Amino acid sequence: MAETRPEEVLVNFEELRVLEAEFDDAEVELVRKSEALYRPLWEKRAELIKKIPHFWTLVFEQAPPEFDNFVQPSDSKVFVDCLKSLDVSRFEIDDPKGSPRSFSIKFGFGDNEYFENKVLEKKFWFRKSKDWDGHVSEPVKINWKKGKDLTGGLTDAAYELAQARRKLAKTANGSAKSKETNLPEYKALAKKIEESTEASVSFFAWFGFVSSYRWISAEESEEASRARAERLEKIKRGEKVEEEEDDDEDEPDYQETEVFPQGDEVATLIAEEMWPSALKYFKYSHEADDDDLSELDVEDMDEDDSSDDEIDIRGLVGKGRKSSDSPPPKKQRKA
Amino acid sequence: MAETRPEEVLVNFEELRVLEAEFDDAEVELVRKSEALYRPLWEKRAELIKKIPHFWTLVFEQAPPEFDNFVQPSDSKVFVDCLKSLDVSRFEIDDPKGSPRSFSIKFGFGDNEYFENKVLEKKFWFRKSKDWDGHVSEPVKINWKKGKDLTGGLTDAAYELAQARRKLAKTANGSAKSKETNLPEYKALAKKIEESTEASVSFFAWFGFVSSYRWISAEESEEASRARAERLEKIKRGEKVEEEEDDDEDEPDYQETEVFPQGDEVATLIAEEMWPSALKYFKYSHEADDDDLSELDVEDMDEDDSSDDEIDIRGLVGKGRKSSDSPPPKKQRKA
């Protein structure tokens, strides 16, 4: 049996790395193509569903179980009481420095007893560090009404830390990262999370999400992308590249200030599953009505909405083509 | 509050139906674009992984938990002992009567103690009935060695029923469906499944899968597509369309002869998750090695494979860019 020399193994692995980068490029290109195909349809859908009251409430009611795990009964009540609209957009798709994988999720709300905001928009930037890539976000300020904060102060504390971090980045150059943990806002949030006795965190804490890794600025991401591209070019030219030293071990555990550790997963579920498949979930809600009583009593919802498009949702029941046997939504192919 | 007249509600719903069909077309178009982007990369990948023994075994070892549920320890042993290759192709992508959503999954095996086949190829056709669409398949004949049938005769019985069904379709014209349940092969398989005392079915029974609904022939699917397109055209022209009568209730429950009821889900997991993301799963297998001992002892595998590409898989360990924090594979956007 012939033995392979170690160099060959290494080359082989470097080739795989180049291929991975090519798969990554293809995926980005597919996001662009997908956006071009679907954008006009999403606009058309938005027009049509304006005429259907509680459309998004019904979609959220039929959310996949992975999503339900993150929604408490008091959160559901907010959705039923006042969720008006949802919009997902790829806000960096035409930005050469941004990524088509970045997206924004915008919730529209009616008047309600919980918070003042009419719109809560959360942005997810696709960013890279030396050895990680994924979505990072900035905490969104929710103006809770007195005594109504469903997160027990988590969104406020996360927002304050983000503000302090931003100020720090402006003053301290480069070494800001190491000082972040000294901020009183950092300590306050870490303590708040540590002491939290709530077994179940409100979905609204998701608006305070930053990263499942750590915050990465646009500058750091650009620098990391450039360095990675250079490495790849070297590999392609057959030059030897040094293994990167792994200096992460000295970093603090930024997850001690993360109020919603699976926030990126939840965002992906909304943006890449519930948003694109909303018509399907809406149809399921009719079928549920059909077979059985819906868990959510449509008649009880938001009666003071005096728009002239009020229709009897139950009037739609049974008009839908039977689709409960439809195949489950497909996953995107990816390397 | 103005009331909406029932006609408006109906129109609204018909518009949604048209939109759904447009989303469906966009999805098919995206499959085409995706295939064009990824096909060259998959070919490149196939060339590279030829040099990595046990590549697919390691990928299957890192399969997502949803997949693991369908794999018994005795099945894993087959994968470890003799899985050589995997290939997924969109075999109808250039066929105007077929669908780009149809796919084939082809497993290559080395000599083994279980079955004679060197290749097991399972095809999934995307087909439509009046009120369902999804993937259907034909049972694949596995030539089990004596006493080695991991499915306890399920694949043989499913294959025999499919053969009998095909003969019936040739002789009886049109009404074949109603007679299928009278076939001795139908009764034999239904009985076999009913009497089955096995708590856990072998993954290899998946090769006997037909449909999570019922078998749909190419002719029926073509006719249903034509009828659906006609309906849509009528709706678009503003003509009144009759609700289709739902005659499914008189149909027998074909699931009583389905040997692997979630077979289409498993196929989708392989074709749209494990196949495209294989490099990621392969990398996870190294990281698993790195942190801990792999569950599967690579040294024990298939020592009698006298190819000259044997390399020490452990030699690759640690060369990979740390990626355990990578975002989970994304889902495809879909209406």
Side-chain angles (χ1 to χ4, degrees):
Chain A
M1 196 184 303
E3 266 192 43
T4 309
R5 283 152 306 162
E7 310 88 85
E8 281 181 53
V9 175
L10 198 63
V11 170
N12 196 356
F13 201 86
E14 296 297 343
E15 281 177 319
L16 281 181
R17 232 183 235 189
V18 172
L19 181 59
E20 266 191 298
E22 287 172 344
F23 269 111
D24 206 52
D25 292 344
E27 196 196 328
V28 168
E29 187 55 31
L30 193 64
V31 172
R32 281 189 199 286
K33 287 188 192 297
S34 168
E35 191 65 12
L37 271 167
Y38 282 110
R39 179 49 52 197
L41 298 179
W42 285 326
E43 283 165 14
K44 203 164 168 182
R45 185 181 72 182
E47 281 307 307
L48 282 179
I49 64 185
K50 269 186 201 157
K51 301 180 208 157
I52 306 171
H54 314 298
F55 178 88
W56 288 108
T57 302
L58 290 163
V59 169
F60 274 79
E61 191 201 353
Q62 296 295 322
E66 309 96 278
F67 184 79
D68 284 341
N69 293 338
F70 297 104
V71 178
Q72 309 309 323
S74 50
D75 302 324
S76 296
K77 194 171 172 333
V78 184
F79 288 144
V80 171
D81 285 355
C82 62
L83 178 63
K84 290 285 174 204
S85 64
L86 183 76
D87 193 32
V88 172
S89 67
R90 303 261 161 193
F91 63 94
E92 290 192 328
I93 201 150
D94 298 317
D95 176 355
K97 286 190 176 177
S99 167
R101 284 193 269 217
S102 298
F103 57 80
S104 133
I105 302 179
K106 201 195 277 182
F107 290 84
F109 294 98
D111 280 333
N112 67 73
E113 57 179 301
Y114 310 97
F115 45 77
E116 305 287 350
N117 315 58
K118 288 286 173 292
V119 171
L120 291 174
E121 178 175 13
K122 190 149 178 75
K123 288 182 163 183
F124 291 83
W125 290 271
F126 189 83
R127 297 214 170 134
K128 299 178 181 182
S129 78
K130 256 184 358 193
D131 51 10
W132 181 88
D133 48 30
H135 288 97
V136 300
S137 184
E138 281 187 345
V140 171
K141 175 80 180 156
I142 302 183
N143 298 314
W144 295 104
K145 292 186 180 172
K146 206 170 158 40
K148 291 294 189 176
D149 183 345
L150 295 169
T151 71
L154 282 178
T155 51
D156 284 347
Y159 182 77
E160 275 147 32
L161 171 58
Q163 295 297 100
R165 184 195 293 126
R166 190 177 295 166
K167 258 185 224 155
L168 189 67
K170 276 184 194 155
T171 52
N173 32 27
S175 60
K177 249 168 44 177
S178 55
K179 286 180 196 158
E180 185 184 326
T181 47
N182 294 327
L183 290 169
E185 290 85 354
Y186 187 98
K187 286 175 181 157
L189 180 52
K191 193 157 171 260
K192 198 167 192 64
I193 292 172
E194 199 187 348
E195 287 174 356
S196 170
T197 51
E198 295 288 319
S200 46
V201 171
S202 161
F203 169 77
F204 287 88
W206 173 80
F207 286 100
F209 171 78
V210 172
S211 167
S212 59
Y213 173 58
R214 62 168 168 79
W215 168 252
I216 297 172
S217 68
E219 294 70 32
E220 181 184 347
S221 184
E222 229 177 286
E223 170 56 26
S225 299
R226 202 195 45 69
R228 285 200 202 179
E230 255 176 33
R231 262 180 85 82
L232 271 181
E233 281 311 312
K234 275 193 186 171
I235 293 173
K236 283 184 196 167
R237 288 195 304 264
E239 290 172 29
K240 210 170 159 52
V241 291
E242 292 301 309
E243 280 305 310
E244 286 150 349
E245 71 284 24
D246 196 348
D247 60 8
D248 277 3
E249 276 154 42
D250 305 330
E251 282 199 14
D253 173 18
Y254 289 101
Q255 289 303 299
E256 66 183 357
T257 53
E258 179 48 65
V259 296
F260 206 96
Q262 289 171 283
D264 45 0
E265 277 175 48
V266 170
T268 301
L269 254 175
I270 297 174
E272 306 205 340
E273 174 58 37
M274 293 168 63
W275 162 257
S277 303
L279 288 182
K280 280 219 160 59
Y281 289 110
F282 177 66
K283 275 173 64 175
Y284 294 155
S285 79
H286 296 156
E287 287 160 14
D289 271 1
D290 220 7
D291 296 342
D292 211 333
L293 269 184
S294 168
E295 277 171 53
L296 180 148
D297 194 340
V298 173
E299 331 268 283
D300 282 350
M301 295 196 303
D302 201 5
E303 289 293 355
D304 56 4
D305 176 359
S306 59
S307 68
D308 64 359
D309 55 17
E310 185 121 314
I311 55 173
D312 181 359
I313 293 190
R314 290 183 196 278
L316 291 171
V317 172
K319 303 278 184 224
R321 168 170 292 154
K322 174 180 151 191
S323 69
S324 49
D325 300 316
S326 288
K330 310 285 166 23
K331 304 234 182 91
Q332 188 171 333
R333 51 210 58 75
K334 184 176 170 189
Chain B
M1 197 182 306
E3 265 192 42
T4 308
R5 284 153 304 162
E7 311 87 84
E8 283 181 52
V9 176
L10 200 62
V11 169
N12 196 356
F13 201 85
E14 296 297 345
E15 281 176 320
L16 282 181
R17 230 183 236 191
V18 172
L19 182 59
E20 267 192 297
E22 288 172 345
F23 269 112
D24 206 53
D25 291 345
E27 197 196 327
V28 168
E29 187 54 31
L30 194 64
V31 172
R32 280 189 200 285
K33 288 189 191 297
S34 169
E35 191 66 11
L37 270 168
Y38 282 110
R39 177 52 50 198
L41 297 180
W42 284 327
E43 283 165 11
K44 204 165 166 182
R45 185 180 71 181
E47 280 307 307
L48 282 180
I49 64 186
K50 269 186 201 158
K51 302 180 209 156
I52 306 171
H54 314 299
F55 178 89
W56 288 108
T57 302
L58 289 163
V59 169
F60 274 79
E61 191 202 353
Q62 296 295 321
E66 311 95 277
F67 184 79
D68 283 341
N69 293 337
F70 298 104
V71 178
Q72 308 310 322
S74 50
D75 302 324
S76 295
K77 194 170 172 336
V78 183
F79 289 144
V80 171
D81 285 355
C82 61
L83 177 63
K84 290 285 173 205
S85 65
L86 183 77
D87 193 31
V88 171
S89 67
R90 303 260 162 193
F91 63 94
E92 291 193 327
I93 202 148
D94 297 318
D95 176 356
K97 287 192 176 176
S99 167
R101 284 193 268 216
S102 299
F103 57 80
S104 133
I105 302 178
K106 200 195 277 184
F107 291 84
F109 293 97
D111 280 333
N112 67 74
E113 57 179 301
Y114 310 96
F115 45 77
E116 305 288 350
N117 315 59
K118 288 286 172 292
V119 171
L120 291 174
E121 177 174 14
K122 189 147 178 77
K123 288 182 163 185
F124 290 84
W125 290 271
F126 190 83
R127 296 212 172 136
K128 299 178 181 184
S129 80
K130 256 186 356 195
D131 51 10
W132 182 88
D133 47 32
H135 288 98
V136 299
S137 184
E138 283 187 344
V140 172
K141 175 80 179 157
I142 302 183
N143 299 314
W144 295 104
K145 293 188 181 173
K146 203 167 167 16
K148 291 293 189 175
D149 184 345
L150 294 170
T151 71
L154 283 178
T155 51
D156 284 348
Y159 181 77
E160 275 148 31
L161 171 58
Q163 295 296 100
R165 184 196 292 126
R166 188 177 294 164
K167 258 186 224 156
L168 189 67
K170 275 186 194 153
T171 52
N173 31 27
S175 59
K177 249 168 43 176
S178 56
K179 286 180 196 155
E180 185 183 328
T181 48
N182 294 328
L183 290 169
E185 290 85 354
Y186 186 98
K187 287 175 180 156
L189 179 53
K191 192 156 172 264
K192 196 165 193 68
I193 291 172
E194 200 188 346
E195 287 174 355
S196 169
T197 51
E198 294 288 321
S200 47
V201 171
S202 160
F203 169 77
F204 286 88
W206 173 80
F207 286 99
F209 171 77
V210 172
S211 168
S212 58
Y213 174 58
R214 61 168 169 79
W215 168 252
I216 297 172
S217 69
E219 293 71 32
E220 180 184 348
S221 184
E222 231 177 287
E223 170 56 26
S225 299
R226 202 195 45 69
R228 286 199 202 179
E230 255 176 33
R231 262 179 85 81
L232 271 182
E233 282 311 314
K234 276 194 185 171
I235 293 173
K236 283 185 197 168
R237 289 195 303 265
E239 290 172 30
K240 211 171 158 51
V241 290
E242 294 299 312
E243 281 303 312
E244 286 151 350
E245 70 283 22
D246 195 349
D247 60 8
D248 277 4
E249 277 153 41
D250 305 331
E251 282 199 15
D253 173 18
Y254 288 102
Q255 288 303 299
E256 66 183 357
T257 52
E258 179 48 65
V259 296
F260 206 95
Q262 289 172 283
D264 45 1
E265 278 176 47
V266 171
T268 301
L269 256 176
I270 298 174
E272 305 204 342
E273 174 57 39
M274 293 168 63
W275 161 257
S277 302
L279 288 182
K280 280 217 162 56
Y281 290 110
F282 177 65
K283 274 173 64 174
Y284 293 156
S285 79
H286 295 158
E287 287 161 14
D289 270 0
D290 220 7
D291 297 343
D292 212 335
L293 268 183
S294 169
E295 279 172 51
L296 181 146
D297 194 340
V298 173
E299 331 269 282
D300 282 351
M301 298 196 301
D302 201 2
E303 288 293 354
D304 55 4
D305 176 359
S306 58
S307 69
D308 63 358
D309 56 18
E310 184 122 312
I311 55 175
D312 180 6
I313 293 190
R314 290 182 196 277
L316 292 171
V317 171
K319 303 277 185 224
R321 167 170 292 152
K322 173 180 153 192
S323 70
S324 49
D325 299 315
S326 288
K330 311 287 165 22
K331 304 229 182 94
Q332 188 171 335
R333 50 209 57 76
K334 183 176 171 189

